[in-house]
Amino acid sequence: MSSLLIVEDDALLRDGLHAQLTQAGHTVTTASDGLKAQLCLESTRFDGVVLDLGLPKISGMEVLHWIRKRLPALPVLILTARDGVDDRVQGLNAGADDYLTKPFSTAELQARLSAMLRRARLPAFGGSLELSSLTSRRLRVDATLPQAWLDNEPIELTQREWALLSLLVSQAGQVVSREDVLSVWQTEPGEGNGVPSNALEVYIHRLRRKLDDSGLSIRNVRGLGYMMESKTP
Ligand code: CA
C-alpha cells in the first residue's frame, strides 16, 4: 500500500487511474496540471508519482526537473504519447525511473508501479542484511545519486564527507582504516594529493554532527580506524 500522486490532465484517464489504483489498495491523490502537482508535492509526502508529460500550466518535464531537485529519491513513472520517443529519452535522462506509452493497460501500469516502488525500498549497498540491522532505518544512502537522507531530509554533504559516509555505511560494523579513507579521497578528481594528516578527524567530527540523533555513531577504534555502528540504547 503506497501513497501515490497521479498527474494527468485528461479527466477520463485521471479518474480511471484514481479508481483502479485506489481499488488496488493505494492512497491516491490526483492533480490536473503541473502547478497543482507541485503544490501537492510541497504539502504531502508520496511514495511514488505517475506523471503525464503533456500538461497545462507547467509541463511534465518541468515538474520532473523540479522533483529531481527537491525530492531526489521520489520514484517517478512518466506517461508519454505513442510517438514521443524524444520525450521518453528526455524523461529518462531527466531522472524518471520508468515510463509507459499511452495507451497502456491497467495491469501493466500496476506491474510497473509495483516494481518501481520495490526498487525504491531496496537498501543501497547490495542489500546487506548487516547494514539494515545496524542502521536505525532513519539514515538512507543511495550510492548512485549520490545522496543521503536522515528521516527523508537530504543531508548536505561535501564530496569528501560523502565519500567518507558511504565508505563507513557500506562497511558498517567493520573497522574502516585511515588508509582506506585516504585512498578513497585520493581517487576523487581534484581532491587527491596533500590531504592534511588531521583532516580525517575534522571530517569525522563534522559527520558525527550531521548524524547527530540518527541512532548511528562513528566510533574511534584506537590504532585501527573508525567504525559505524548503532548507538547502544
Ligand atoms: Ca496530457
Side-chain angles (χ1 to χ4, degrees), residues 20-217:
Q20 286 153 358
L21 293 171
T22 302
Q23 201 177 18
H26 300 295
T27 305
V28 181
T29 304
T30 58
S32 56
D33 63 56
L35 189 61
K36 284 179 185 153
Q38 290 186 348
L39 293 174
C40 286
L41 288 161
E42 275 176 342
S43 61
T44 311
R45 211 176 64 75
F46 295 98
D47 299 312
V49 178
V50 177
L51 177 67
D52 181 31
L53 287 187
L55 290 173
K57 294 193 183 166
I58 297 177
S59 78
M61 202 64 82
E62 276 178 74
V63 175
L64 180 57
H65 283 292
W66 184 90
I67 289 175
R68 278 296 159 261
K69 261 189 213 146
R70 287 155 183 255
L71 305 157
L74 181 64
V76 179
L77 186 151
I78 52 173
L79 303 178
T80 67
R82 181 191 280 277
D83 53 359
V85 181
D86 290 348
D87 281 356
R88 286 202 287 282
V89 173
Q90 265 189 45
L92 292 173
N93 281 337
D97 297 270
D98 203 354
Y99 69 88
L100 270 180
T101 304
K102 294 177 183 179
F104 50 84
S105 72
T106 314
E108 186 174 15
L109 174 67
Q110 291 197 14
R112 295 282 191 92
L113 266 180
S114 302
M116 185 175 81
L117 296 168
R118 204 165 47 233
R119 282 197 301 273
R121 286 187 208 107
L122 288 177
F125 293 95
S128 156
L129 282 175
E130 192 182 9
L131 174 66
S132 54
S133 64
L134 269 164
T135 59
S136 58
R137 272 171 280 131
R138 294 169 62 193
L139 174 71
R140 196 155 49 88
V141 175
D142 188 326
T144 56
L145 286 172
Q147 177 67 56
W149 298 264
L150 202 52
D151 281 339
N152 292 320
E153 288 290 322
I155 308 175
E156 299 255 67
L157 295 168
T158 65
Q159 204 178 355
R160 268 193 202 164
E161 288 169 347
W162 165 259
L164 179 58
L165 176 66
S166 53
L167 189 62
L168 286 165
V169 168
S170 67
Q171 297 184 45
Q174 300 164 43
V175 176
V176 173
S177 70
R178 297 176 55 88
E179 290 70 31
D180 288 344
V181 178
L182 294 176
S183 70
V184 168
W185 280 356
Q186 302 282 344
T187 60
E188 288 167 29
E191 294 233 22
N193 303 322
V195 178
S197 60
N198 63 344
L200 182 52
E201 279 74 9
V202 173
Y203 280 90
I204 290 279
H205 178 70
R206 282 196 211 163
L207 215 48
R208 277 184 182 138
R209 292 184 60 160
K210 292 185 181 184
L211 294 178
D212 203 21
D213 214 24
S214 67
L216 293 166
S217 68

